[in-house]
Amino acid sequence: MNPLTEEWIEKAECDYLVAAGEMRAKKKRVYDAVCFHARQRIEKYLKALLQEHKIAFTKTHDLVELANSCASLCPEIEFQRPLLESLNRYAVQYRFLVIRRTI
């Protein structure tokens, strides 16, 4: 596995730890943070797959766009399209847009 792929995977696993930790919170769970980090994990795994196969990708947070790039490597990703479309709303841009609206 090439070093950049390993970095993407390591960062994806960190997102998992954050989301899982938040789900174990005893008092108040912050579900939008769980969704954000779960979606970030998927994004990083898709980028790791592309990186490992030396397929260039643009700087994007769009899970569907990344999945389209991965389709030839992993055709079964098509079954996840509705989930990826749904999770796109928790992307970085959306998260900061919501924060700006509350200030």
Side-chain angles (χ1 to χ4, degrees):
M1 186 179 306
N2 81 52
L4 287 175
T5 303
E6 289 177 356
E7 284 184 47
W8 281 116
I9 291 172
E10 183 178 332
K11 291 194 175 290
E13 288 303 306
C14 288
D15 279 313
Y16 169 76
L17 292 173
V18 173
E22 187 59 37
M23 283 301 294
R24 288 191 301 274
K26 298 283 187 217
K27 294 186 180 187
K28 182 180 179 192
R29 293 185 182 122
V30 182
Y31 291 108
D32 66 331
V34 173
C35 292
F36 173 77
H37 287 285
R39 162 228 170 280
Q40 288 292 103
R41 182 181 190 206
I42 294 167
E43 177 184 329
K44 289 169 184 154
Y45 270 121
L46 292 172
K47 289 178 177 179
L49 180 62
L50 294 169
Q51 177 66 49
E52 186 64 14
H53 287 87
K54 297 180 173 77
I55 298 173
F57 53 91
T58 61
K59 185 176 181 180
T60 184
H61 298 290
D62 188 324
L63 297 179
V64 174
E65 181 182 330
L66 291 166
N68 289 340
S69 298
C70 292
S72 64
L73 303 170
C74 183
E76 55 270 26
I77 203 164
E78 185 60 36
F79 295 110
Q80 301 302 324
R81 185 170 296 280
L83 174 63
L84 298 175
E85 289 171 352
S86 176
L87 285 172
N88 259 345
R89 64 185 261 208
Y90 295 99
V92 173
Q93 302 94 315
Y94 173 80
R95 189 169 192 212
F96 290 115
L97 178 63
V98 171
I99 290 170
R100 275 189 246 129
R101 287 183 183 167
T102 62
I103 295 177

